[in-house]
Amino acid sequence: MLSFCLMVITAHIAAEPDTQSAPPQERPATPADGATNPDGQSAREDDRPAESDTLISDPLLGEGQRGPSANELRSLEALDRALASKEEQVGEVQRQLIAAEDSVTQQELSERLRKLKDELGEQRRQFEKFAVNIDLRPFIEEEEKPFNWQDELSKLLKPIIAELENATKESRAIGELRAQMNEVEERKRLAAEASTRLKQLLAQNPSPALQERLQERLDNWQRIATDSSNNYAALELQLNNRLAQRQSVLEETTGYAKRFFRTRGLNLVMAIAAFALVFLGVRWLANALRRLSPAADNRFSTRLTTLLLHAFSVLGGLIAMLLVFNMAGDWFMLGIILIFLIGIGWASINTLPSQIETVKLILNIGPVREGERLVFNGLPYRVESLAFTARLVNPLLDGGLQQMPVKHLVGHISRPPGEQEPWFPTEQGDWVELADGRLGQVIHQSPANVIVQEPGGAEVRYPTDGFVALNPRKLSQGFRVVSRFGIDYRHQAIATTEVPKRLLEALDKELPTALDNAFGQGKAKQVIKAINVLFAQASGASLDYLIHLDLGGEAASMTPIIQASIQRILVNACNSQGWEIPLTHLGIHQYPS
């Protein structure tokens, strides 16, 4: 289908007259009567075939090939006459060169003879090509010239510069007239100053000989001043006429745009159509291949084929555009496209390493692989798919699906995930305690932010990466409350035996009641997992104990109340046992001066 459409476009362009190309040059006159042909035989008037366009049954001609017509013979006669004229010029210059005596004339005639011989050789090649009607390039041994990129670039830029000159010719003509007027005005002023000076010298009665010479120079400078004045008036008239006929900037721009689209609009539309046809056709073919074998998407061969087809969709589309402009003879648009491609290629040199890494990612052979764990923007993701776009998924985040161009993963590294490795520290509904001391329940978590609701209903919003940086302590699966308590040193004798026992008994008895009051009757037995009272240390002012209370996740919201209840129960136990709680003592030591 693509080939058929391209053939239709090509045939349409080839059938159209080339309105953009230069008008065909008139064929130079053919050799005069009596000139010899390549075989040395003279061409006579009675040997010409009749004026007919019918097929000639010549066994040397292919089947259906048309023989030379009368118009072609007349063109050859014109070429023959031009060759004869050029040969006469060459002979005349050769005779003048032989008769020349001074070296200057000989040098000028030698240069002229060289140019005439070059022109004569070119005309002979044109005559031969038109006469035999074959490609003569295999028979011409051209001298190999070294490649010069500047010359090639100048050939490429020549049509573009010509188009720009044509678009600005009116403005340039006005500018040139103004420059000429300034130059003529300067000449007129200087000529007037010279005339004034000469008149002053003549007024001083010089000698007759000097007076005659000064008068001669005065007449010359007055003539120059008059000519400059006339030239200035003529240039001013031309400038005024051009300014009167000049259109406004908007009209000139609009007119140029109309001419551009009238002469090149069809070429541009057909080039864009050819690009779109190839681009969309190849992309459709790539998608069709993927639909035919969806199970093979992860194979290296399938990925490579898809990558090559996508690359060819762009490259083939550009080639189709260039072919359209080339067959239409629109060298201006062809040069624009080529310069654009050269610029893109030159700019791509600096990004070549990044492009290579992107290709490796698309082929799934780079540092990031499908199915592995990737840390992107500080958050873990599973690389679900890699192609021209990457699909990253975090199942524990609301909106944890990110699709992006695969080039954004250049510079990242993935690894196989652990069997029990979590994708996020918390889940929605978990109670957490953060490093900043805040306690709350996670009510929303997404790649952008995490919302924590404190007891009482206040909500605090954290950036997701900032929330992770606070090392959230997850309480929903169970947690431990640690509390510290101290008694006075006077109870040192029973500090490690009776005191821990009595404190533990008090906690076992009164703490369930306090929790039942907070959670509801019978909830304490489900919440309390274990209670331990441990002698911690003998500090400088007291004998300290650690109370470890292991609770279920349901009690996370009541953590501040539980900590306060523990301290209240321990103080009541000390009061009932008559144990003193020490005060903080401040000692002052005075040293003699």
Side-chain angles (χ1 to χ4, degrees), residues 218-484:
L218 176 61
D219 295 340
N220 178 66
W221 283 106
Q222 287 178 341
R223 183 172 61 254
I224 293 175
T226 302
D227 293 343
S228 299
S229 180
N230 294 334
N231 289 338
Y232 185 85
L235 292 172
E236 186 177 20
L237 180 61
Q238 296 180 35
L239 178 61
N240 292 333
N241 290 336
R242 283 189 175 273
L243 291 176
Q245 298 174 2
R246 186 180 185 183
Q247 298 175 331
S248 65
V249 176
L250 179 60
E251 291 176 344
E252 287 185 356
T253 305
T254 306
Y256 177 76
K258 290 180 179 179
R259 291 193 301 272
F260 179 86
F261 284 104
R262 185 170 57 250
T263 56
R264 295 189 169 88
L266 180 60
N267 297 338
L268 184 60
V269 170
M270 296 186 69
I272 294 175
F275 177 87
L277 186 64
V278 175
F279 180 83
L280 297 177
V282 175
R283 290 294 177 96
W284 177 85
L285 179 61
N287 293 331
L289 292 177
R290 292 184 61 185
R291 287 194 297 268
L292 289 176
S293 56
D297 281 350
N298 293 329
R299 295 178 183 174
F300 177 79
S301 58
T302 305
R303 292 177 180 271
L304 182 59
T305 303
T306 304
L307 177 63
L308 292 177
L309 287 175
H310 277 72
F312 180 75
S313 66
V314 178
L315 183 61
L318 292 174
I319 292 175
M321 289 186 70
L322 294 178
L323 287 176
V324 170
F325 289 133
N326 182 51
M327 288 185 290
D330 195 342
W331 306 114
F332 174 75
M333 295 301 299
L334 184 64
I336 291 291
I337 296 297
L338 288 176
I339 291 175
F340 176 73
L341 294 179
I342 291 173
I344 291 179
W346 183 263
S348 300
I349 294 176
N350 295 331
T351 61
L352 185 60
S354 176
Q355 294 176 3
I356 293 176
E357 292 299 321
T358 302
V359 171
K360 292 170 65 177
L361 291 176
I362 294 174
L363 297 177
N364 201 28
I365 58 174
V368 178
R369 305 289 181 91
E370 283 188 357
E372 294 188 349
R373 181 186 180 96
L374 169 71
V375 177
F376 186 77
N377 290 338
L379 300 177
Y381 288 94
R382 183 178 67 249
V383 183
E384 189 166 289
S385 65
L386 279 178
F388 292 95
T389 58
R391 182 183 176 92
L392 307 181
V393 175
N394 189 313
L396 296 183
L397 296 179
D398 186 13
L401 170 64
Q402 294 203 35
Q403 287 185 316
M404 66 193 73
V406 72
K407 65 180 181 180
H408 292 316
L409 298 185
V410 173
H412 290 78
I413 300 175
S414 65
R415 62 173 177 81
E419 294 183 2
Q420 302 297 328
E421 187 173 13
W423 292 100
F424 199 71
T426 61
E427 297 182 18
Q428 187 170 333
D430 285 344
W431 280 87
V432 294
E433 184 179 11
L434 302 178
D436 59 359
R438 180 167 281 111
L439 174 71
Q441 185 181 26
V442 177
I443 61 174
H444 173 78
Q445 55 185 29
S446 69
N449 51 64
V450 176
I451 300 177
V452 177
Q453 188 177 51
E454 295 179 320
E459 294 183 358
V460 182
R461 186 184 302 269
Y462 291 94
T464 304
D465 53 349
F467 175 81
V468 175
L470 288 175
N471 300 319
R473 179 178 174 232
K474 188 175 179 180
L475 307 179
S476 299
Q477 304 300 325
F479 63 99
R480 170 175 289 182
V481 174
V482 179
S483 184
R484 183 178 290 272

Side-chain angles (χ1 to χ4, degrees), residues 452-523:
V452 177
Q453 188 177 51
E454 295 179 320
E459 294 183 358
V460 182
R461 186 184 302 269
Y462 291 94
T464 304
D465 53 349
F467 175 81
V468 175
L470 288 175
N471 300 319
R473 179 178 174 232
K474 188 175 179 180
L475 307 179
S476 299
Q477 304 300 325
F479 63 99
R480 170 175 289 182
V481 174
V482 179
S483 184
R484 183 178 290 272
F485 190 78
I487 62 174
D488 196 87
Y489 263 96
R490 67 182 61 191
H491 311 297
Q492 180 177 348
I494 59 174
T496 60
T497 55
E498 187 176 350
V499 173
K501 181 179 178 181
R502 299 302 180 189
L503 295 179
L504 179 59
E505 290 175 352
L507 291 172
D508 284 338
K509 180 180 178 181
E510 299 184 26
L511 189 58
T513 303
L515 293 180
D516 283 340
N517 294 335
F519 291 103
Q521 197 67 26
K523 291 288 185 180

Side-chain angles (χ1 to χ4, degrees), residues 28-294:
T30 52
D33 295 337
T36 58
N37 58 22
D39 296 333
Q41 299 175 355
S42 60
R44 295 178 301 176
E45 191 71 22
D46 53 2
D47 292 334
R48 301 173 189 168
E51 296 184 8
S52 174
D53 291 339
T54 58
L55 297 179
I56 297 178
S57 58
D58 190 340
L60 296 178
L61 295 175
E63 182 179 355
Q65 184 176 354
R66 189 177 300 278
S69 64
N71 291 332
E72 293 174 336
L73 290 178
R74 284 194 293 270
S75 298
L76 283 173
E77 291 173 358
L79 285 170
D80 186 28
R81 289 191 293 271
L83 278 174
S85 175
K86 187 66 66 176
E87 289 169 351
E88 290 178 1
Q89 294 180 32
V90 171
E92 180 64 25
V93 174
Q94 286 178 340
R95 288 190 292 272
Q96 293 178 5
L97 180 60
I98 294 173
E101 296 180 356
D102 60 293
S103 59
V104 176
T105 304
Q106 290 177 351
Q107 184 176 0
E108 292 179 355
L109 290 174
S110 298
E111 182 65 23
R112 183 182 176 190
L113 180 62
R114 185 186 63 79
K115 292 181 179 179
L116 287 174
K117 285 185 176 181
D118 291 342
E119 295 174 0
L120 179 61
E122 180 63 27
Q123 288 188 3
R124 285 175 175 171
R125 285 190 292 271
Q126 290 181 0
F127 178 85
E128 186 75 16
K129 181 178 180 180
F130 191 73
V132 299
N133 194 24
I134 63 173
D135 187 7
L136 297 177
R137 286 179 295 180
F139 304 96
I140 301 175
E141 296 182 359
E142 296 183 355
E143 181 182 356
E144 293 187 3
K145 297 180 180 179
F147 177 78
N148 190 332
W149 68 270
Q150 294 178 340
D151 294 340
E152 300 299 327
L153 184 60
S154 64
K155 293 178 183 178
L156 186 63
L157 293 176
K158 188 175 180 180
I160 300 175
I161 295 175
E163 184 72 20
L164 295 177
E165 289 179 351
N166 182 52
T168 59
K169 62 181 180 180
E170 188 66 23
S171 300
R172 289 187 293 105
I174 293 175
E176 290 175 0
L177 284 175
R178 286 173 174 167
Q180 292 177 10
M181 288 178 62
N182 292 334
E183 183 180 351
V184 171
E185 185 178 17
E186 180 67 13
R187 291 177 61 187
K188 183 175 66 172
R189 182 184 66 80
L190 294 176
E193 291 181 0
S195 299
T196 302
R197 171 69 177 173
L198 291 172
K199 289 178 180 179
Q200 293 174 354
L201 292 174
L202 288 171
Q204 296 181 6
N205 297 321
S207 62
L210 179 58
Q211 184 177 6
E212 181 180 0
R213 187 174 295 277
L214 290 176
Q215 185 63 43
E216 177 189 359
R217 302 315 302 161
L218 176 61
D219 295 340
N220 178 66
W221 283 106
Q222 287 178 341
R223 183 172 61 254
I224 293 175
T226 302
D227 293 343
S228 299
S229 180
N230 294 334
N231 289 338
Y232 185 85
L235 292 172
E236 186 177 20
L237 180 61
Q238 296 180 35
L239 178 61
N240 292 333
N241 290 336
R242 283 189 175 273
L243 291 176
Q245 298 174 2
R246 186 180 185 183
Q247 298 175 331
S248 65
V249 176
L250 179 60
E251 291 176 344
E252 287 185 356
T253 305
T254 306
Y256 177 76
K258 290 180 179 179
R259 291 193 301 272
F260 179 86
F261 284 104
R262 185 170 57 250
T263 56
R264 295 189 169 88
L266 180 60
N267 297 338
L268 184 60
V269 170
M270 296 186 69
I272 294 175
F275 177 87
L277 186 64
V278 175
F279 180 83
L280 297 177
V282 175
R283 290 294 177 96
W284 177 85
L285 179 61
N287 293 331
L289 292 177
R290 292 184 61 185
R291 287 194 297 268
L292 289 176
S293 56

